Amino acid sequence: MSLAIGLWSLKLTPGKEEIIQPPADLQITNVALGDVLKDTSGRTSVKLTYAPTANIEEDEEEESIPDPAVTVLCSLKPDTFEQTSTNIILQEDETYKFEIVGKNTVYLTGNYIEQSVNNPPFGDDDESDFSDEDAYDLREVSSDVEMHPDDLDSDASRFEEVEDAPKNLKRARDAEEDTAKPSKAEKKKKQKTEAAKPAEATPEVKKKEKEAPKDKETAPKAKPAEREIAGGIKILDSKIGTGPMAKKGNTVRMRYIGKLTSGKVFDQNVKGKPFTFRLGKGEVIKGWDEGIVGMQAGGERKLTLPPAMAYGSKGTDGIPKNATLIFEVKLVEIK
């Protein structure tokens, strides 16, 4: 899904650190031992140090610079495992440090790539999954404002309350008429007994006390705030999902509606086969690779992507140059 725009290579020498800052996105495709081996039996490992992606769930005020992460890219051994293919993408203008553990020289080979050229976050095969009549069927994609069915009072429930009142009063009067009137002695005895009892709360007070917790539970929740992450991507979570959070390397299945700032819908996937891709692997525009991270299954999010995180100065079919895009997305499943 990416376009190679130039060849790249790097020689790693034992005991010497190599620090690079790619001028464009860089994909490393092969790691191999050099043609001259100083150690014909020992293992040589390639270590990579990089800055991990910050946690986008944290508020901007609480964000801190994460500690550098260290990983072993691969380990090679003469006559056994002298080269390996990789699919690692180094982000533009990010800093990376390579170093060798062992005695042999190692060569890295790859390509500078362009990930945003004619690379929409949707596929042509999805167009056949829904007809024009169903194109704007948003039953599975909610808006920013959600209402639970229990919060809506139907006319039937209001009529039922009005009709029940006179029936209850009628039954109470019938019961009173059927009950024999107490004698004077019984009245005096009853008055003495009630006087000795502590005063009870009136029905109205009891009703208020009973409904008090419910009022607290039904108090309106604070509206979620929009936040901004690296690259100028704005995120607004309209619904938080459940389960583990999506991270780079996961395969995710998505529903979405893509709009221009004018409100015009340029494409969508709201029914049929969900759109599926590998997060953080350059298979979609940068705004999706970064903006979907941290979502949970069932979660819904609004992404506002600046041109640099979408289609930039080139644009694409139905999307003008330097366009800011708005996506309403729903994470269906994480694999």
Side-chain angles (χ1 to χ4, degrees), residues 29-45:
T29 57
N30 192 75
V31 183
L33 290 173
D35 53 346
V36 178
L37 301 176
K38 291 184 178 181
D39 184 358
T40 58
S41 60
R43 186 179 66 172
T44 301
S45 299

Side-chain angles (χ1 to χ4, degrees), residues 77-150:
K77 188 175 182 181
D79 298 327
T80 304
F81 190 65
E82 296 191 350
Q83 71 171 359
T84 183
S85 297
T86 62
N87 184 21
I88 297 173
I89 296 177
L90 307 185
Q91 299 295 323
E92 177 182 356
D93 295 330
E94 296 292 334
T95 301
Y96 302 90
K97 181 177 73 175
F98 293 92
E99 55 187 319
I100 293 295
V101 179
K103 299 180 180 181
N104 293 319
T105 300
V106 175
Y107 289 85
L108 307 181
T109 307
N111 296 285
Y112 290 109
I113 61 173
E114 175 61 63
Q115 301 189 71
S116 61
V117 177
N118 295 327
N119 186 22
F122 43 82
D124 295 337
D125 58 338
D126 291 331
E127 296 179 359
S128 61
D129 292 331
F130 54 91
S131 63
D132 293 339
E133 295 179 356
D134 299 327
Y136 297 93
D137 183 358
L138 303 183
R139 288 174 293 182
E140 297 186 33
V141 180
S142 71
S143 63
D144 291 340
V145 180
E146 296 186 352
M147 295 292 291
H148 192 279
D150 294 339

Side-chain angles (χ1 to χ4, degrees), residues 3-303:
L3 176 65
I5 58 176
L7 183 64
W8 173 89
S9 64
L10 179 66
K11 178 182 178 180
L12 301 179
T13 305
K16 181 181 178 182
E17 295 180 351
E18 293 288 347
I19 298 176
I20 66 170
Q21 193 172 28
D25 290 345
L26 172 62
Q27 184 176 28
I28 301 176
T29 57
N30 192 75
V31 183
L33 290 173
D35 53 346
V36 178
L37 301 176
K38 291 184 178 181
D39 184 358
T40 58
S41 60
R43 186 179 66 172
T44 301
S45 299
V46 180
K47 291 176 63 177
L48 170 62
T49 303
Y50 65 98
T53 303
N55 186 356
I56 68 173
E57 293 299 320
E58 297 179 357
D59 295 333
E60 291 184 3
E61 297 180 355
E62 300 178 358
E63 285 184 354
S64 60
I65 300 176
D67 295 332
V70 180
T71 186
V72 176
L73 196 59
C74 66
S75 294
L76 306 175
K77 188 175 182 181
D79 298 327
T80 304
F81 190 65
E82 296 191 350
Q83 71 171 359
T84 183
S85 297
T86 62
N87 184 21
I88 297 173
I89 296 177
L90 307 185
Q91 299 295 323
E92 177 182 356
D93 295 330
E94 296 292 334
T95 301
Y96 302 90
K97 181 177 73 175
F98 293 92
E99 55 187 319
I100 293 295
V101 179
K103 299 180 180 181
N104 293 319
T105 300
V106 175
Y107 289 85
L108 307 181
T109 307
N111 296 285
Y112 290 109
I113 61 173
E114 175 61 63
Q115 301 189 71
S116 61
V117 177
N118 295 327
N119 186 22
F122 43 82
D124 295 337
D125 58 338
D126 291 331
E127 296 179 359
S128 61
D129 292 331
F130 54 91
S131 63
D132 293 339
E133 295 179 356
D134 299 327
Y136 297 93
D137 183 358
L138 303 183
R139 288 174 293 182
E140 297 186 33
V141 180
S142 71
S143 63
D144 291 340
V145 180
E146 296 186 352
M147 295 292 291
H148 192 279
D150 294 339
D151 296 334
L152 302 175
D153 293 329
S154 65
D155 291 340
S157 63
R158 291 197 293 269
F159 292 147
E160 184 178 356
E161 292 175 1
V162 173
E163 293 173 358
D164 286 343
K167 291 180 181 179
N168 291 336
L169 291 175
K170 182 176 180 180
R171 286 195 295 269
R173 288 196 297 269
D174 292 343
E176 289 175 0
E177 292 174 359
D178 294 337
T179 304
K181 295 183 179 180
S183 62
K184 292 183 178 180
E186 289 175 345
K187 286 183 179 180
K188 290 182 179 180
K189 184 177 180 180
K190 184 177 181 181
Q191 290 174 354
K192 290 181 180 180
T193 303
E194 292 178 350
K197 293 181 180 179
E200 295 183 358
T202 62
E204 293 181 357
V205 174
K206 290 182 178 180
K207 183 177 182 180
K208 289 182 180 180
E209 292 176 351
K210 185 176 181 180
E211 294 179 352
K214 183 177 181 181
D215 293 339
K216 293 181 180 179
E217 293 176 1
T218 58
K221 297 182 179 179
K223 186 177 180 180
E226 187 176 57
R227 63 183 186 277
E228 184 173 326
I229 63 173
I233 301 171
K234 294 181 180 180
I235 293 176
L236 178 63
D237 286 304
S238 56
K239 180 180 179 181
I240 303 299
T242 58
M245 294 182 180
K247 59 184 179 180
K248 292 185 178 181
N250 290 148
T251 296
V252 293
R253 305 177 70 211
M254 306 295 300
R255 298 288 190 195
Y256 66 86
I257 299 177
K259 303 178 182 178
L260 302 177
T261 52
S262 63
K264 179 182 178 182
V265 176
F266 57 83
D267 205 61
Q268 61 184 340
N269 180 316
V270 296
K271 62 182 300 185
K273 181 181 178 182
F275 173 65
T276 304
F277 71 99
R278 291 184 300 165
L279 187 58
K281 298 298 182 180
E283 297 179 356
V284 292
I285 55 179
K286 292 181 181 179
W288 271 51
D289 266 341
E290 299 297 333
I292 303 300
V293 174
M295 290 189 70
Q296 298 166 275
E300 298 175 16
R301 176 174 289 184
K302 177 183 176 183
L303 300 177

